[in-house]
Amino acid sequence: MRVANIVNLGFKELRGLGRDPMLLLLIVYAFTAAIYTAARAMPETLNNAPIAIIDEDRSPLSSRITGAFLPPYFSRPEIITAAEMDRRMDAGLDTFALDIPPNFQRDLLAGKVPTIQLNIDATRMTQAFSGSGYVQSIVTAEVAEFSQRYRDTSVQPVDLVLRARFNPELNKTWFGAVMNVINNITMLSIVLTGAALIREREHGTIEHLLVMPITPFEIMISKVWSMGLVVLVASALSLSLVVQGLLSVPIEGSVPLFLAGAALHLFATTSLGIFLATITGSMPQFGLLLMMVLLPLQVLSGGMTPRESMPEAVQLIMLGAPNTHFVMLAQAILYRGAGLGVVWPQFLALAAIGSALFIFALGRFRESLK
């Protein structure tokens, strides 16, 4: 092995990447606009949900209920007629349509149990699920206060004091921004190394390399360090300029420690990208295989849902995936300010998984060259 060969081949990969405008555009988009839009798209599960109200009672109570639906959870209610409700929901204009029947206030004061109909567009899954609970709580609270003629301030038997650590504002933008950086590191490292190898094969330059005094190990390690370096630099700039700068997300821990963990993770995922490229014949095949591999890796890594909520068999299997450990150390460092004394098991796991993937991919790469 000659270090000069590895360095020169790595610079060749960087020059090849620089001549590919689509991949460059993908890198820029993934670490800028994709991070910003994904973070801004999830500030609240229920945000400005469109609601319409059919007020057939025209009473002080129905007016009070109508006035209780305010931003940011709901948009200003549209007052419509019963004949308009189906047409508006068919057109997707309203997620919720609340129908207050005639004589609603009179029946309530007479001791009866009147009924209010809530129509929900269940195709808007997240808003429909959480919004129905919000609507029920708002209507119940307004009816109770109206019927009792005062606001209920009864003393609760237990005083629950809420302390939100690491995200005191409970701002989902903080979570979304960092997690998208983590996910894009995994995605782009696999895409770039796989594309680099397939590009060599499609252009016929891999045969040129084989007649030179260069070993398969040198070819592979050059692709690993060059593409890994591109993703590492892009992620560092994204954390600084987009996450901390544009989105004003506080980073509690050491960014250099996070980047060290990201480098180990990139060693594993770039090796995985080369392995996937050796078992596919073209970029379309590589893209299809990537969807089958990348989606389970990201969904089951613990970044979207806690690992504890998954079946035990899935938890055990995913311990063999590099991004499971990367998500654990990234969240510990960036969210909770953990140091090396806390995340060293994840560092060791990434080093072991990366070494195994590299050896396995190198063997498959050598076989593909025969």
Side-chain angles (χ1 to χ4, degrees), residues 195-207:
L197 182 56
I198 293 175
R199 185 171 55 236
E200 296 268 22
R201 187 185 303 155
E202 291 179 342
H203 294 174
T205 54
I206 192 72
E207 287 80 7

Side-chain angles (χ1 to χ4, degrees), residues 185-186 189-190 193 264-274 322 357:
I185 288 174
T186 301
S189 59
I190 299 176
T193 48
L264 280 177
H265 176 62
L266 289 168
F267 175 57
T269 51
T270 50
S271 301
L272 178 60
I274 290 178
L357 284 174

Side-chain angles (χ1 to χ4, degrees), residues 14-26:
L14 294 176
R15 288 193 295 269
L17 178 63
R19 292 191 293 268
D20 193 329
M22 293 306 298
L23 283 180
L24 289 176
L25 181 62
L26 175 63

